[in-house]
Amino acid sequence: MTEQPPASALDDRRARFAAAWEALPANTRGALWLLTSAALFTVMAVLTKFLGTRLDTMQVAFFRLFFATLIIMPWLIRHGGFKPAHPRLMTLRGVIGGGAMLCMVYAFVHLPLADAQAIQFAQGLFLVPLAIIFLREVPGPRRIIAVILGFIGVLIMLRPSGDFEPAAFVALFGALLVAGAAVMVKLVADKDGPLTMMLFSGVFGCGMAVIPMALNWIDPTPYEWVMLAGIGLVGAGAHNCFLRAYRVGEATAIAPIDYTRLIFAGTAGFLFFGTVPDIYTIIGAVIIAGTSFYIARREAAVARAKAAAAARADGA
């Protein structure tokens, strides 16, 4: 039997690791968190697609949200967050976020992983018109052109020849809902934290999925129960890593790392399901990723310019 090192030695190792981690540049730590998030999102997508081959889609979606919500409960109990500061807005965000998750699960089950993942990145394109409508933001002509080009990429992925997959429109609607949830974050983030947002998305998502799940219930095997719990665990971990990435790193510096999800999804789709992205997927994904990244850079540049102008005004 292997002898365990004493507690003091373990504490020393943890302290050295923590010191080495903190010594890394902030953008490096952010990139590593985001890369971990991309890998975990891919694992979640693979598990979702495996389960969706036998279980009902809403059944998979319900337990994805249920177990993820269950996992964050200890932190909610410790730090609060059950009572939102903006109850109406948080309720609306919960409905939008829960609906987005249901659409995402449906897309992963019914589409090749690379297609579903690429269409999800269209959320960045929807953010611009939604910000105009609800946040009264005025984008410049370059961002508007980027949005138009991005939606051309979406149309390419949706098969201009007419041979389209209806699930692709569900994925696109899910991207719209994710963008709507992101706009809601800007409206409630002053007092409501990410755990509260995850709680409300989980509760309302489960509420939307429970009736169709019950009507189409299929008894999971013990192995499938483990996978259902695994989806919740991995999904919660992926979102946690994603939030940590943007908390420590600059968005414009680390955002390109998030597009490794396209590579991971394409590779996983080929290895586990034998799917190969076609030319429409590749061209559309490149256009969507490129324009979404450009929009993110422009938004960050505008935010920095506004902050600098505000600082100069305060100094004056």
Side-chain angles (χ1 to χ4, degrees):
M1 187 173 178
T2 306
E3 185 177 345
Q4 296 293 325
S8 58
L10 289 175
D11 292 340
D12 183 58
R13 289 178 189 175
R14 291 194 191 100
R16 280 185 291 172
F17 176 80
W21 175 256
E22 293 297 329
L24 293 173
N27 284 338
T28 301
R29 284 182 280 135
L32 290 173
W33 279 122
L34 200 54
L35 189 64
T36 304
S37 171
L40 290 175
F41 273 124
T42 304
V43 173
M44 183 187 72
V46 170
L47 291 173
T48 299
K49 198 167 185 67
F50 268 126
L51 287 165
T53 58
R54 200 185 78 86
L55 301 179
D56 182 71
T57 304
M58 289 299 101
Q59 195 173 351
V60 177
F62 176 89
F63 285 108
R64 153 69 181 92
L65 291 163
F66 174 79
F67 283 114
T69 305
L70 200 63
I71 288 166
I72 66 171
M73 279 299 172
W75 286 271
L76 279 166
I77 293 170
R78 184 182 306 170
H79 302 292
F82 291 100
K83 187 177 181 181
H86 305 280
R88 292 182 180 178
L89 288 176
M90 188 59 72
T91 298
L92 178 59
R93 193 204 174 276
V95 172
I96 293 173
M101 183 60 66
L102 300 185
C103 290
M104 184 187 74
V105 171
Y106 186 91
F108 280 135
V109 170
H110 296 280
L111 288 175
L113 292 183
D115 292 54
Q117 187 62 79
I119 294 174
Q120 273 194 10
F121 282 118
Q123 65 195 44
L125 309 177
F126 285 118
L127 270 173
V128 175
L130 289 178
I132 294 172
I133 297 170
F134 295 105
L135 302 178
R136 301 292 188 268
E137 293 184 3
V138 182
R142 284 183 285 182
R143 273 196 284 176
I144 293 174
I145 292 172
V147 169
I148 294 171
L149 291 175
F151 280 116
I152 291 174
V154 172
L155 290 175
I156 292 173
M157 288 201 65
L158 294 181
R159 306 297 186 267
S161 64
D163 181 22
F164 62 86
E165 169 59 57
F169 289 94
V170 176
L172 190 62
F173 182 64
L176 171 61
L177 291 179
V178 171
V183 170
M184 296 297 296
V185 168
K186 293 187 177 183
L187 296 175
V188 302
D190 58 331
K191 292 183 179 178
D192 291 311
L195 286 177
T196 306
M197 297 178 197
M198 289 177 67
L199 171 67
F200 272 69
S201 294
V203 169
F204 282 98
C206 286
M208 287 185 280
V210 67
I211 293 178
M213 175 192 69
L215 294 175
N216 300 282
W217 179 265
I218 299 171
D219 289 333
T221 65
Y223 179 66
E224 286 169 338
W225 275 119
V226 173
M227 292 177 68
L228 287 168
I231 288 179
L233 175 63
V234 172
H239 280 97
N240 181 46
C241 291
F242 185 86
L243 293 172
R244 285 177 179 269
Y246 282 98
R247 189 178 299 161
V248 300
E250 295 176 297
T252 53
I254 68 174
I257 301 297
D258 201 29
Y259 295 105
T260 57
R261 277 199 263 173
L262 290 170
I263 300 172
F264 291 158
T267 304
F270 174 73
L271 292 177
F272 295 106
F273 306 103
T275 56
V276 179
D278 61 17
I279 189 64
Y280 290 118
T281 298
I282 294 172
I283 294 175
V286 169
I287 295 174
I288 293 170
T291 52
S292 297
F293 177 58
Y294 176 78
I295 290 169
R297 287 182 63 90
R298 285 296 303 162
E299 288 180 348
V302 170
R304 285 198 300 269
K306 287 181 179 178
R312 287 195 297 270
D314 290 340

